[in-house]
Amino acid sequence: MMNKTVQNLRVLSNIQLNRDHHLLELQAPVKLEQIAPGQFVNVRVEKSQSTFLRRPFSIYGVDYEKNTISLFIKDVGPGSHVLTSTPEGEEVDVVFPLGNGFSYPEENERILLVGGGFGIAPLLFFARELKKRNLDVHIHALVGARTSDDLMELNSFAQCGEVYSTTEDGSHGVKGRVTDHPALKDRLQKFDRVYSCGPEPMMEAVAAKAAAVDVFCEVSLENTMACGFGVCLCCVTDTTSGHQCVCTDGPVFNIKDLKW
Amino acid sequence: MMNKTVQNLRVLSNIQLNRDHHLLELQAPVKLEQIAPGQFVNVRVEKSQSTFLRRPFSIYGVDYEKNTISLFIKDVGPGSHVLTSTPEGEEVDVVFPLGNGFSYPEENERILLVGGGFGIAPLLFFARELKKRNLDVHIHALVGARTSDDLMELNSFAQCGEVYSTTEDGSHGVKGRVTDHPALKDRLQKFDRVYSCGPEPMMEAVAAKAAAVDVFCEVSLENTMACGFGVCLCCVTDTTSGHQCVCTDGPVFNIKDLKW
Amino acid sequence: MVDLGVKIGNLDLKNPVMTASGTFGYGLEFEDFFDLNRLGGFVVKGTTLHARQGNPYPRSAETPSGMLNAVGLQNRGVKYFAENIYPRLEKFQTNVLVNVSGSTVEEYVECAEVINELEHIPGIELNISCPNVKEGGMTFGTSCPSAEAVVRAVRKVYDKHLMVKLSPNVTSIEEIARAVENVGADSVSLINTLLAMAIDAESRKPLLSTITGGLSGPAVKPVALRMVWQVAQAVKIPIVGMGGIMNAADAVEFMLAGASAIQVGTAGFVDPLAPVKIVEGIEDYLKRHKIESVTDLVGSLQL
Amino acid sequence: MVDLGVKIGNLDLKNPVMTASGTFGYGLEFEDFFDLNRLGGFVVKGTTLHARQGNPYPRSAETPSGMLNAVGLQNRGVKYFAENIYPRLEKFQTNVLVNVSGSTVEEYVECAEVINELEHIPGIELNISCPNVKEGGMTFGTSCPSAEAVVRAVRKVYDKHLMVKLSPNVTSIEEIARAVENVGADSVSLINTLLAMAIDAESRKPLLSTITGGLSGPAVKPVALRMVWQVAQAVKIPIVGMGGIMNAADAVEFMLAGASAIQVGTAGFVDPLAPVKIVEGIEDYLKRHKIESVTDLVGSLQL
Ligand SMILES: Cc1cc2nc3c(=O)[nH]c(=O)nc-3n(C[C@H](O)[C@H](O)[C@H](O)COP(=O)(O)OP(=O)(O)OC[C@H]3O[C@@H](n4cnc5c(N)ncnc54)[C@H](O)[C@@H]3O)c2cc1C
Ligand SMILES: Cc1cc2nc3c(=O)[nH]c(=O)nc-3n(C[C@H](O)[C@H](O)[C@H](O)COP(=O)(O)OP(=O)(O)OC[C@H]3O[C@@H](n4cnc5c(N)ncnc54)[C@H](O)[C@@H]3O)c2cc1C
Ligand SMILES: Cc1cc2nc3c(=O)[nH]c(=O)nc-3n(C[C@H](O)[C@H](O)[C@H](O)COP(=O)(O)O)c2cc1C
Ligand SMILES: Cc1cc2nc3c(=O)[nH]c(=O)nc-3n(C[C@H](O)[C@H](O)[C@H](O)COP(=O)(O)O)c2cc1C
Ligand code: FES
Ligand code: FES
């Protein structure tokens, strides 16, 4: 695993995916070592008067040959806005890699990835890594969104396995929320592991389903962070062993350890 | 005279003059009314975490036909750096016009403009206005700098009248400071008015010379400002009638009123 | 339509947005920018019995998300104000308050007496919290007995609205607030500036002629909010909140914490239109949240 | 060559840069970023006699040029520290101080007694200024008698360097500083966080689970500098300054105001390399200004 480092990464490309999502590919000046899906970066945003602290983003992909890291960023406020507006060639100051990744499944296991919003970022990285390593794992991905316009990266998931979707307005896939999809509602026992990342209510609903049928389940949390590497104790979540830091003990947690 | 206003001005052009000086031409969305040489603007710099207050800059020129205002900016710190790096097309938030201009000479008078650094900005604006108005005034400009590389706009001044220069290393014009130039040292009585803008020690030296031979002299001060329009009382200078605001009572002062 | 009107004791404000003393001159300087009648009120600059030259230059310094000032109450004295400035303020259809300071209790009292006679001035803001003058000023506002003494004395001679402006440079601002409430303050306004300092590392000199000065701007907002919240738990009289308010969201936060009205100070330097934008922004906020009256915001923080 | 060494009482620091308690974990988390031995010292997180869970999430909020925290001294207690963490800190060739808190004088004393036995811990920083715990904490640091009581009691049982960390939430920090100096403090460190608050206007809720919390970062620097300056006029023991130090210029400012050493806190979140960059920056500054020893900076503000 790669040690934590602070580096200026150069924006190689900045692609707008839809109204408010951008994909940034960042060139690292140092050799990237192994980074686990689920790990994240913490980015400094100097060109805004309201971004004193860094902004955390999941790692969306690593290209060890090009030596690049990709981020999948939704423009929700000043920090993400400056980042999604960064032109190619400019540098961004990044602390990475932070936190722990998802646990790998065993051979032949069937796994279900349940994502919503920018929560698909670490899940897609995970799916691609599993695929790349040629592990004999059966990957199913369930992506939920409000409308079909908000669904992203279905094709990318499709390259790694089966894809399902739900939309609240029924414009694509099953109408409703992810928990209304048969994969979660009826067939969950058929999976060995469920991994989820997205809005907290979604993850809680997925966790409840998994707990009900006693299926292994990991979720990736997004608590507000001040440092991102375990020194401030601001990002805690309540676990069966007390307050734990989302940044260093997580962001990936087994739901057995959470007090949900 | 134009009323004070807050406007977003669009950068029409941003020309680098030398290592650290830029010329910005800004397009106003409102019709520009009469602006006096010596008046200034106050610019907001949002893309920096260390520029809470606005930054004041002399108006370097106004094109009433194109409806543009020009600024002559030296990159000395975060605010001026962001401004000199602003690409064409971007907008800057500007409060203008502020303060009072230089007093106009009478017909046939001989005037001497003494400038250093970015202090030449309001003086050149003044010279051009006098020229444009076809007033029968004899304009002489004396520009001082450290080296010939730091001398700027001599040609522009030359289009308005006589130009002299001094450099500390003697690489151009008279070797020494402006006060070593014969125009100031020996021939000052030949002028009806002296106007000066530049580093404060330079202006004080010019003022001392002018006072010695009792020649009319106006200087343009650059005290630190918080508001720029007379409400905070932070920018005061000591005058014969007490503390006066550089932003509203100045920035142009007759040296008779200053306690230099 | 939403109702923006608020009452601060016997003061009727068409909206909760005022501007802060020392940051708004006599208001007239802002007339190019907007119609002052759009404000709930404004507080003119710190006024004293006798004229004061204030402190030497430099009087200001920029700091992270804020600024220091050490103006030191430069003003031409209350008589000059009454004779030369006041006539130009009579035309305004909004609440014009005068901020009053002094070095002794007697000076406060005499100054208040003069202002009591000015028909179109519905109230004074008693500044017992200015960190930028050598005698009096802040020292009145940092202990209960001295705060009580000056408020009690002014209350005796001043009939109209008496707002008392509190210093944040204290261990317990609630205690001072309770003390001035007990001796007749109609409202409290807070916070004045935090006593602070800036140094230029290169020249090794202080950036202010007075070494220390008052910190204002967004940097102090979290401290100001906390103090408004604490004072709201401690007193029954209305609170006017300020300290770093830059936009309508900031203003709403102060009201949620317990302020009935707010004042905009330093923001006006950064954006002269800030005060009116805040009036408009509060109106938008109320519409968006389907709140009928701005008074419903006051102290309505959800715990 | 310039000399970066400073002495804080009987503590020898290779340079004046330490890191601040609660912002540096146990140091170990920073080892990926730089060699901790490059620091003059570091202060490990707030330690109490018994384990504490700290406050519920959310515990932090971003504010203009700063942040609020309400961690509430989460730690596993001094015994756990002595047995499990301390052995991993022994290897460091720099001053490792433990920040000690308590709810009662007895807790402070017992905690200090345990640390007194740890050979490689040359001192404690007595935190009488934490705004984030219900009992004790800051209340000890906001009045002279209680500050004296805890310092006097700890002094009796603690032989090594006793640094007392002062609260900025007081009317007169000089008085508290003098009080703790009189009862045996070897040095004072300041400032701890300013009690503050943040609200989300949209949800109408406080941003911290505890409603109020502690403000740190560049926003507080002007207040911290002022307090260091005031305390420097009031006491003879060395001062360790902190509050918003982001770079070497900030550090130099604190030393000019009277601090013999400084601590870097929140800056480490924004730039984990800040502490070492500050060491390097101070060295550059001294060379540029042709100052031989960093101690020549202390209190050398030019008035
Ligand atoms: C481990 C982790 C991984 C993340 N991965 C991604 C990702 O891959 N792509 C992506 O677009 N976003 C991701 N986020 C969320 C991202 O950090 C926030 O959207 C961003 O910080 C918002 O900053 P801003 O300045 O744009 O908006 P702000 O104005 O700061 O906030 C806008 C909204 O975002 C929320 N927010 C602010 N800071 C955080 C924070 N630190 N954590 C969670 N929510 C916050 C605020 O409550 C507010 O509702 C992740 C967060 C965490 C903790
Ligand atoms: C009336 C007036 C007219 C001016 N005209 C011009 C001009 O035409 N062209 C130009 O390049 N500059 C001009 N200046 C100076 C310009 O305002 C400063 O260079 C600028 O504010 C520096 O900002 P900064 O963020 O780049 O640097 P900072 O880091 O803020 O400061 C860098 C240096 O500039 C000094 N400085 C900062 N703010 C001010 C201020 N408000 N006034 C004076 N000095 C300051 C600082 O003391 C420091 O030495 C003028 C200033 C005034 C008051
Ligand atoms: C330049 C300046 C001058 C001030 N003068 C006064 C004054 O005369 N009387 C007063 O009570 N407060 C004065 N204040 C304090 C403000 O009224 C206000 O309390 C403080 O600035 C906090 O609000 P803000 O952060 O919105 O500016 C002054 C503030 C500034 C910045
Ligand atoms: C997240 C966080 C936790 C803190 N915990 C402690 C603590 O346990 N003990 C203590 O004395 N100070 C604590 N502090 C205060 C800092 O040590 C320091 O005094 C303060 O943050 C000001 O310095 P800064 O602005 O450089 O951060 C904490 C500060 C932060 C931001
Ligand atoms: S964000 Fe600081 S410990 Fe997790
Ligand atoms: S800068 Fe505010 S009065 Fe001149």
Side-chain angles (χ1 to χ4, degrees), chain A:
Chain A
M1 294 300 302
M2 186 166 179
N3 281 345
K4 301 188 292 274
T5 174
V6 196
Q7 300 287 339
N8 283 322
L9 307 192
R10 200 157 39 78
V11 178
L12 261 194
S13 67
N14 176 348
I15 299 166
Q16 181 156 7
L17 298 177
N18 65 10
R19 188 169 29 85
D20 47 11
H21 288 78
H22 283 241
L23 195 61
L24 266 74
E25 189 175 9
L26 307 173
Q27 175 85 57
V30 290
K31 181 88 200 88
L32 295 178
E33 288 159 49
Q34 208 53 47
I35 291 176
Q39 287 195 294
F40 65 95
V41 302
N42 215 357
V43 186
R44 191 166 178 183
V45 184
E46 283 171 290
K47 290 191 176 172
S48 156
Q49 294 190 340
S50 50
T51 51
F52 172 65
L53 296 170
R54 286 176 182 264
R55 297 294 190 259
F57 297 95
S58 301
I59 293 171
Y60 168 78
V62 180
D63 187 325
Y64 296 99
E65 280 172 24
K66 282 170 77 183
N67 221 41
T68 60
I69 286 181
S70 295
L71 306 177
F72 180 83
I73 303 184
K74 180 173 183 185
D75 182 351
V76 297
S80 50
H81 183 72
V82 168
L83 288 174
T84 54
S85 318
T86 309
E88 288 171 20
E90 261 190 33
E91 294 194 335
V92 284
D93 172 347
V94 185
V95 179
F96 72 98
L98 299 171
N100 306 302
F102 297 108
S103 14
Y104 276 79
E106 313 273 318
E107 213 163 323
N108 261 318
E109 283 190 336
R110 290 167 56 87
I111 68 165
L112 179 64
L113 310 173
V114 186
F118 50 74
I120 61 170
L123 297 175
L124 184 55
F125 181 21
F126 191 35
R128 283 173 166 162
E129 277 292 303
L130 291 171
K131 193 81 190 162
K132 209 177 78 183
R133 295 190 180 194
N134 254 321
L135 296 179
D136 206 0
V137 174
H138 307 282
I139 303 173
H140 300 246
L142 168 56
V143 182
R146 276 200 313 117
T147 73
S148 61
D149 286 348
D150 305 315
L151 280 173
M152 281 169 291
E153 299 285 15
L154 294 187
N155 291 338
S156 310
F157 277 112
Q159 283 162 20
C160 307
E162 297 284 319
V163 190
Y164 318 115
S165 66
T166 60
T167 51
E168 289 178 35
D169 67 352
S171 53
H172 194 284
V174 171
K175 181 174 166 131
R177 314 204 157 202
V178 286
T179 39
D180 297 318
H181 193 281
L184 266 181
K185 209 168 63 167
D186 315 318
R187 294 187 269 125
L188 195 50
Q189 313 86 306
K190 301 221 168 121
F191 292 97
D192 299 296
R193 295 167 186 253
V194 182
Y195 302 89
S196 183
C197 186
E200 194 154 307
M202 186 197 91
M203 292 193 286
E204 290 197 31
V206 171
K209 295 275 183 199
V213 294
D214 200 23
V215 167
F216 173 102
C217 179
E218 283 182 347
V219 293
S220 182
L221 303 188
E222 280 174 17
N223 282 8
T224 306
M225 294 178 177
C227 72
F229 55 97
V231 294
C232 75
L233 305 188
C234 287
C235 63
V236 292
T237 189
D238 215 6
T239 73
T240 50
S241 45
H243 281 138
Q244 293 221 309
C245 287
V246 168
C247 68
T248 45
D249 300 312
V252 175
F253 287 93
N254 190 307
I255 58 162
K256 289 221 164 107
D257 300 327
L258 294 177
K259 288 197 167 167
W260 277 3

Side-chain angles (χ1 to χ4, degrees), chain A residues 232 234, chain D residues 20-23 45-46 67 69 71 73 99 125 127 129 165 191-193 216-218 220 242-245 263-267 269:
Chain A
C232 75
C234 287
Chain D
S21 178
T23 66
K45 70 175 64 153
M67 65 171 282
N69 90 81
V71 172
L73 296 175
N99 179 273
E125 182 181 54
N127 178 5
S129 47
K165 186 157 177 183
I191 60 171
N192 209 315
T193 53
S216 64
V220 310
M242 79 193 90
I245 295 177
Q263 290 181 15
V264 182
T266 307
F269 305 163

Side-chain angles (χ1 to χ4, degrees), chain B:
Chain B
M1 292 300 303
M2 186 166 179
N3 280 344
K4 300 187 292 275
T5 173
V6 196
Q7 300 287 337
N8 283 324
L9 307 192
R10 201 157 41 77
V11 178
L12 260 196
S13 67
N14 176 348
I15 298 165
Q16 181 156 6
L17 297 178
N18 65 10
R19 190 169 30 84
D20 47 12
H21 288 79
H22 283 241
L23 195 61
L24 265 73
E25 188 175 11
L26 307 172
Q27 174 84 58
V30 289
K31 181 87 200 89
L32 295 178
E33 287 159 50
Q34 209 52 47
I35 292 176
Q39 287 196 292
F40 65 97
V41 303
N42 214 357
V43 187
R44 190 166 179 185
V45 184
E46 282 172 291
K47 290 192 177 173
S48 157
Q49 296 190 340
S50 50
T51 51
F52 172 65
L53 296 171
R54 287 176 182 263
R55 296 293 189 263
F57 297 95
S58 301
I59 294 172
Y60 169 76
V62 179
D63 186 325
Y64 296 99
E65 280 171 25
K66 283 169 79 182
N67 220 41
T68 60
I69 286 182
S70 295
L71 306 178
F72 181 83
I73 303 184
K74 179 173 184 185
D75 182 353
V76 298
S80 50
H81 184 71
V82 168
L83 288 174
T84 54
S85 316
T86 309
E88 288 171 20
E90 261 189 33
E91 292 194 335
V92 284
D93 173 347
V94 185
V95 179
F96 71 97
L98 300 171
N100 307 302
F102 297 107
S103 14
Y104 276 78
E106 312 274 319
E107 211 161 328
N108 262 318
E109 284 190 336
R110 290 167 56 86
I111 69 167
L112 178 64
L113 309 173
V114 187
F118 50 75
I120 61 170
L123 297 176
L124 185 55
F125 181 20
F126 190 36
R128 284 173 166 159
E129 278 290 305
L130 291 172
K131 193 80 192 160
K132 210 176 76 183
R133 295 190 179 194
N134 255 321
L135 296 181
D136 206 0
V137 174
H138 307 282
I139 304 173
H140 299 246
L142 168 56
V143 182
R146 275 201 312 118
T147 73
S148 60
D149 287 349
D150 304 315
L151 279 174
M152 281 168 293
E153 299 284 15
L154 294 188
N155 291 338
S156 310
F157 277 112
Q159 283 163 21
C160 307
E162 297 285 319
V163 190
Y164 318 113
S165 66
T166 59
T167 51
E168 289 179 35
D169 67 352
S171 53
H172 194 285
V174 171
K175 183 175 165 128
R177 313 203 158 202
V178 285
T179 38
D180 296 320
H181 193 280
L184 266 181
K185 211 169 59 171
D186 315 317
R187 292 188 267 126
L188 196 49
Q189 312 86 305
K190 303 222 167 122
F191 292 98
D192 299 294
R193 294 167 187 252
V194 182
Y195 302 90
S196 182
C197 185
E200 193 154 306
M202 185 197 93
M203 291 192 287
E204 290 197 33
V206 172
K209 294 275 185 204
V213 294
D214 200 25
V215 168
F216 173 102
C217 179
E218 283 182 346
V219 294
S220 181
L221 303 188
E222 282 174 17
N223 281 8
T224 307
M225 294 180 177
C227 72
F229 54 96
V231 293
C232 75
L233 306 189
C234 287
C235 63
V236 292
T237 190
D238 215 6
T239 72
T240 50
S241 45
H243 282 138
Q244 292 220 309
C245 288
V246 168
C247 68
T248 45
D249 299 311
V252 175
F253 287 92
N254 189 308
I255 58 163
K256 290 223 166 108
D257 301 325
L258 294 177
K259 288 198 168 166
W260 277 3

Side-chain angles (χ1 to χ4, degrees), chain C:
Chain C
M1 272 308 295
V2 293
D3 180 3
L4 286 176
V6 295
K7 274 180 84 75
I8 310 283
N10 56 354
L11 285 186
D12 268 313
L13 275 62
K14 66 183 82 158
N15 64 57
V17 181
M18 308 180 74
T19 51
S21 177
T23 67
F24 202 64
Y26 292 113
L28 307 162
E29 298 83 351
F30 270 86
E31 283 195 290
D32 273 5
F33 297 120
F34 61 83
D35 175 5
L36 304 196
N37 292 327
R38 295 185 60 191
L39 298 174
F42 60 89
V43 187
V44 303
K45 68 175 64 156
T47 302
T48 49
L49 182 61
H50 306 294
R52 298 177 79 120
Q53 271 291 310
N55 294 316
Y57 177 84
R59 292 178 172 185
S60 69
E62 189 178 48
T63 64
S65 296
M67 64 170 283
L68 299 185
N69 89 80
V71 172
L73 296 175
Q74 175 178 330
N75 80 101
R76 304 182 75 165
V78 71
K79 296 246 161 60
Y80 183 91
F81 171 78
E83 285 161 21
N84 300 292
I85 315 278
Y86 170 69
R88 297 159 68 195
L89 302 177
E90 284 179 300
K91 65 175 178 196
F92 293 114
Q93 302 295 315
T94 185
N95 295 286
V96 183
L97 272 58
V98 179
N99 180 274
V100 170
S101 264
S103 305
T104 62
V105 171
E106 293 66 40
E107 277 182 29
Y108 276 103
V109 168
E110 287 182 47
C111 192
E113 281 174 326
V114 176
I115 296 165
N116 203 31
E117 303 305 314
L118 306 178
E119 195 188 328
H120 291 276
I121 302 292
I124 60 178
E125 182 182 53
L126 206 67
N127 179 5
I128 57 167
S129 47
C130 183
N132 294 325
V133 286
K134 286 227 178 66
E135 309 133 34
M138 188 168 89
T139 50
F140 283 109
T142 55
S143 89
C144 290
S146 57
E148 280 166 10
V150 58
V151 174
R152 191 184 283 120
V154 170
R155 179 73 292 175
K156 281 206 190 107
V157 302
Y158 191 73
D159 311 325
K160 293 184 265 178
H161 190 92
L162 178 57
M163 185 182 291
V164 178
K165 185 157 179 186
L166 305 179
S167 170
N169 302 295
V170 294
T171 309
S172 167
I173 196 165
E174 312 93 285
E175 281 178 21
I176 312 278
R178 261 193 302 257
V180 301
E181 175 180 45
N182 287 339
V183 293
D186 294 315
S187 64
V188 284
S189 60
L190 59 144
I191 58 173
N192 210 314
T193 53
L194 280 166
L195 189 62
M197 179 172 176
I199 293 173
D200 178 23
E202 289 304 312
S203 67
R204 301 169 74 177
K205 288 188 187 144
L207 283 168
L208 298 178
S209 67
T210 47
I211 307 178
T212 61
L215 179 64
S216 64
V220 310
K221 190 186 80 167
V223 174
L225 264 181
R226 179 264 292 186
M227 290 187 164
V228 166
W229 166 252
Q230 288 179 321
V231 170
Q233 320 301 306
V235 301
K236 295 201 177 56
I237 50 176
I239 297 167
V240 179
M242 80 194 88
I245 295 178
M246 296 295 284
N247 53 45
D250 294 337
V252 167
E253 290 165 27
F254 276 82
M255 299 192 75
L256 293 171
S260 296
I262 57 98
Q263 290 182 15
V264 181
T266 308
F269 305 163
V270 173
D271 182 3
L273 301 176
V276 280
K277 285 182 183 167
I278 292 172
V279 175
E280 290 163 4
I282 293 176
E283 190 168 353
D284 281 352
Y285 178 93
L286 295 177
K287 285 183 189 156
R288 212 152 31 79
H289 287 262
K290 304 199 183 353
I291 298 171
E292 275 171 32
S293 161
V294 72
T295 56
D296 293 341
L297 285 180
V298 180
S300 73
L301 189 68
Q302 322 261 297
L303 297 182

